[in-house]
Amino acid sequence: MKRIMYALACLVMPFMFFSCEELEGLVGEMDLTINDETIHIPDAVFTELEGFTTIAGSNLKENVAIVFKGDSKGSYTLGLGKDLLSAAANVSNITNMENTLVYVPSSGIEEDGLTLVCGTLEITSYTKNKVKGTFSGYGLKTSILSEGELNFSSLQNNFEKVSGSFEAVGKKM
Protein backbone atom coordinates (compact mmCIF):
# COMPACT_ATOMS: atom_id res chain seq x y z
CA MET A 1 0.00 0.00 0.00
CA LYS A 2 2.85 2.38 0.84
CA ARG A 3 4.41 1.73 -2.56
CA ILE A 4 1.17 2.64 -4.32
CA MET A 5 0.87 5.86 -2.32
CA TYR A 6 4.51 6.71 -3.05
CA ALA A 7 3.98 6.07 -6.77
CA LEU A 8 0.88 8.29 -6.80
CA ALA A 9 2.74 11.04 -4.95
CA CYS A 10 5.55 10.88 -7.50
CA LEU A 11 3.04 11.23 -10.33
CA VAL A 12 1.20 14.16 -8.76
CA MET A 13 4.17 16.07 -7.33
CA PRO A 14 5.40 17.67 -10.60
CA PHE A 15 1.97 19.19 -11.23
CA MET A 16 1.89 20.86 -7.82
CA PHE A 17 4.53 23.35 -8.96
CA PHE A 18 2.55 24.61 -11.97
CA SER A 19 -0.47 26.87 -12.08
CA CYS A 20 -3.65 25.86 -13.90
CA GLU A 21 -2.78 28.30 -16.69
CA GLU A 22 0.53 26.55 -17.31
CA LEU A 23 -1.16 23.13 -17.41
CA GLU A 24 -3.92 24.33 -19.70
CA GLY A 25 -1.80 23.88 -22.83
CA LEU A 26 -0.81 20.30 -21.95
CA VAL A 27 -4.25 18.72 -22.13
CA GLY A 28 -6.90 19.21 -24.79
CA GLU A 29 -10.64 18.68 -24.49
CA MET A 30 -13.71 18.01 -26.57
CA ASP A 31 -17.45 18.49 -26.23
CA LEU A 32 -19.77 16.34 -28.31
CA THR A 33 -23.55 16.74 -28.54
CA ILE A 34 -25.64 13.89 -29.93
CA ASN A 35 -29.23 15.00 -30.37
CA ASP A 36 -29.77 16.77 -27.00
CA GLU A 37 -27.14 14.96 -24.90
CA THR A 38 -23.76 16.66 -24.40
CA ILE A 39 -20.73 14.56 -23.56
CA HIS A 40 -17.57 16.17 -22.18
CA ILE A 41 -14.28 14.57 -23.16
CA PRO A 42 -11.54 16.01 -20.90
CA ASP A 43 -8.58 14.62 -22.84
CA ALA A 44 -8.02 15.23 -26.55
CA VAL A 45 -4.85 14.69 -28.56
CA PHE A 46 -3.96 14.84 -32.23
CA THR A 47 -1.37 13.59 -34.64
CA GLU A 48 -0.75 14.21 -38.32
CA LEU A 49 0.77 11.49 -40.44
CA GLU A 50 1.07 11.28 -44.22
CA GLY A 51 -1.44 14.06 -44.85
CA PHE A 52 -4.14 12.77 -42.49
CA THR A 53 -4.90 14.35 -39.11
CA THR A 54 -6.40 12.18 -36.38
CA ILE A 55 -7.94 13.76 -33.29
CA ALA A 56 -8.77 11.37 -30.46
CA GLY A 57 -10.45 12.00 -27.14
CA SER A 58 -11.55 9.96 -24.16
CA ASN A 59 -13.20 10.31 -20.77
CA LEU A 60 -12.43 6.64 -19.95
CA LYS A 61 -16.07 5.68 -20.62
CA GLU A 62 -16.51 7.15 -24.07
CA ASN A 63 -14.14 7.71 -26.97
CA VAL A 64 -14.25 10.00 -30.00
CA ALA A 65 -12.03 10.03 -33.07
CA ILE A 66 -12.05 12.51 -35.93
CA VAL A 67 -10.01 11.77 -39.04
CA PHE A 68 -9.61 14.15 -41.96
CA LYS A 69 -7.36 14.45 -44.97
CA GLY A 70 -5.46 17.65 -44.35
CA ASP A 71 -3.10 19.42 -42.01
CA SER A 72 -4.16 23.03 -41.97
CA LYS A 73 -6.82 25.54 -41.00
CA GLY A 74 -9.97 25.41 -43.15
CA SER A 75 -13.30 23.74 -43.88
CA TYR A 76 -13.54 19.99 -44.51
CA THR A 77 -16.49 17.86 -45.61
CA LEU A 78 -17.20 14.91 -43.33
CA GLY A 79 -18.61 11.60 -44.50
CA LEU A 80 -20.44 11.51 -47.81
CA GLY A 81 -21.21 15.21 -48.16
CA LYS A 82 -21.98 18.42 -46.32
CA ASP A 83 -25.69 17.62 -45.85
CA LEU A 84 -28.16 14.74 -45.95
CA LEU A 85 -29.01 15.35 -49.62
CA SER A 86 -25.34 14.98 -50.59
CA ALA A 87 -25.06 11.86 -48.43
CA ALA A 88 -28.11 10.35 -50.14
CA ALA A 89 -26.48 10.79 -53.54
CA ASN A 90 -23.26 9.11 -52.36
CA VAL A 91 -24.58 6.36 -50.06
CA SER A 92 -22.92 3.66 -52.22
CA ASN A 93 -19.50 5.11 -51.27
CA ILE A 94 -20.05 4.73 -47.52
CA THR A 95 -17.11 2.34 -47.09
CA ASN A 96 -14.72 4.82 -48.77
CA MET A 97 -15.17 7.86 -46.49
CA GLU A 98 -11.85 9.66 -45.89
CA ASN A 99 -13.10 12.25 -43.40
CA THR A 100 -15.39 11.27 -40.56
CA LEU A 101 -16.05 11.20 -36.83
CA VAL A 102 -16.62 8.02 -34.81
CA TYR A 103 -18.12 7.94 -31.31
CA VAL A 104 -17.71 4.84 -29.14
CA PRO A 105 -19.81 4.82 -25.93
CA SER A 106 -19.16 2.63 -22.90
CA SER A 107 -21.61 0.05 -24.27
CA GLY A 108 -19.28 -0.53 -27.24
CA ILE A 109 -19.17 0.26 -30.91
CA GLU A 110 -21.21 -2.71 -32.18
CA GLU A 111 -24.65 -1.47 -31.10
CA ASP A 112 -24.43 2.13 -29.95
CA GLY A 113 -21.31 3.41 -31.71
CA LEU A 114 -21.97 6.31 -34.08
CA THR A 115 -20.32 7.32 -37.37
CA LEU A 116 -20.84 10.70 -39.02
CA VAL A 117 -22.07 10.17 -42.58
CA CYS A 118 -22.36 13.85 -43.51
CA GLY A 119 -21.36 17.20 -42.13
CA THR A 120 -18.65 19.81 -41.89
CA LEU A 121 -15.48 20.19 -39.89
CA GLU A 122 -14.14 23.69 -39.38
CA ILE A 123 -10.51 23.83 -38.27
CA THR A 124 -10.12 27.31 -36.79
CA SER A 125 -6.49 26.92 -35.69
CA TYR A 126 -3.81 24.40 -36.65
CA THR A 127 -0.29 24.69 -35.27
CA LYS A 128 2.43 22.11 -34.77
CA ASN A 129 1.24 21.53 -31.16
CA LYS A 130 -2.49 22.33 -31.12
CA VAL A 131 -5.60 21.97 -33.28
CA LYS A 132 -8.89 23.74 -32.56
CA GLY A 133 -12.18 23.39 -34.35
CA THR A 134 -15.90 22.68 -34.52
CA PHE A 135 -17.99 20.07 -36.28
CA SER A 136 -21.61 19.35 -37.10
CA GLY A 137 -23.51 16.81 -39.11
CA TYR A 138 -25.57 13.64 -38.97
CA GLY A 139 -24.51 10.19 -37.87
CA LEU A 140 -25.79 6.64 -37.90
CA LYS A 141 -25.34 3.93 -35.30
CA THR A 142 -22.92 1.15 -36.18
CA SER A 143 -25.69 -1.45 -35.79
CA ILE A 144 -27.58 0.21 -38.65
CA LEU A 145 -24.49 0.64 -40.85
CA SER A 146 -23.59 -3.04 -40.50
CA GLU A 147 -27.00 -4.35 -41.59
CA GLY A 148 -25.80 -5.08 -45.12
CA GLU A 149 -27.85 -3.50 -47.92
CA LEU A 150 -27.77 0.25 -47.37
CA ASN A 151 -30.08 2.65 -49.12
CA PHE A 152 -31.09 6.13 -48.15
CA SER A 153 -34.80 5.38 -47.69
CA SER A 154 -34.05 2.71 -45.06
CA LEU A 155 -31.65 5.05 -43.25
CA GLN A 156 -33.55 8.34 -43.26
CA ASN A 157 -35.40 7.83 -39.96
CA ASN A 158 -32.26 6.82 -38.09
CA PHE A 159 -30.02 9.88 -38.43
CA GLU A 160 -28.79 11.49 -35.23
CA LYS A 161 -27.72 15.13 -35.12
CA VAL A 162 -24.12 15.58 -33.96
CA SER A 163 -22.16 18.75 -33.17
CA GLY A 164 -19.31 19.88 -31.00
CA SER A 165 -15.98 21.55 -30.56
CA PHE A 166 -12.47 20.54 -29.58
CA GLU A 167 -9.01 21.70 -28.73
CA ALA A 168 -6.47 18.92 -29.12
CA VAL A 169 -2.78 18.93 -28.25
CA GLY A 170 -0.14 16.80 -29.87
CA LYS A 171 2.45 16.87 -32.58
CA LYS A 172 2.35 17.60 -36.27
CA MET A 173 4.86 15.25 -37.90
Side-chain angles (χ1 to χ4, degrees), residues 27-70:
V27 180
E29 65 180 350
M30 184 182 303
D31 286 310
L32 172 75
T33 302
I34 300 173
N35 297 320
D36 294 326
E37 180 187 352
T38 299
I39 300 153
H40 180 67
I41 305 291
D43 297 314
V45 297
F46 87 96
T47 188
E48 180 274 331
L49 187 60
E50 297 179 9
F52 282 88
T53 298
T54 302
I55 299 159
S58 177
N59 66 8
L60 299 179
K61 292 181 192 174
E62 297 140 317
N63 301 288
V64 178
I66 302 169
V67 177
F68 67 96
K69 187 174 185 175

Side-chain angles (χ1 to χ4, degrees), residues 81-159:
K82 290 186 178 190
D83 53 35
L84 287 171
L85 190 58
S86 300
N90 295 315
V91 74
S92 62
N93 295 323
I94 202 158
T95 58
N96 299 323
M97 294 187 296
E98 284 184 331
N99 305 337
T100 194
L101 176 147
V102 175
Y103 165 70
V104 181
S106 58
S107 59
I109 195 166
E110 292 83 19
E111 289 298 315
D112 297 320
L114 189 76
T115 301
L116 232 64
V117 293
C118 68
T120 57
L121 171 67
E122 187 68 36
I123 302 298
T124 56
S125 175
Y126 197 123
T127 66
K128 67 179 186 170
N129 296 320
K130 190 178 288 186
V131 177
K132 293 181 185 180
T134 60
F135 53 88
S136 64
Y138 291 90
L140 288 169
K141 287 192 175 185
T142 305
S143 57
I144 294 166
L145 289 173
S146 61
E147 287 180 356
E149 184 78 27
L150 295 175
N151 61 60
F152 193 75
S153 60
S154 68
L155 300 176
Q156 64 187 354
N157 294 326
N158 295 300
F159 289 106

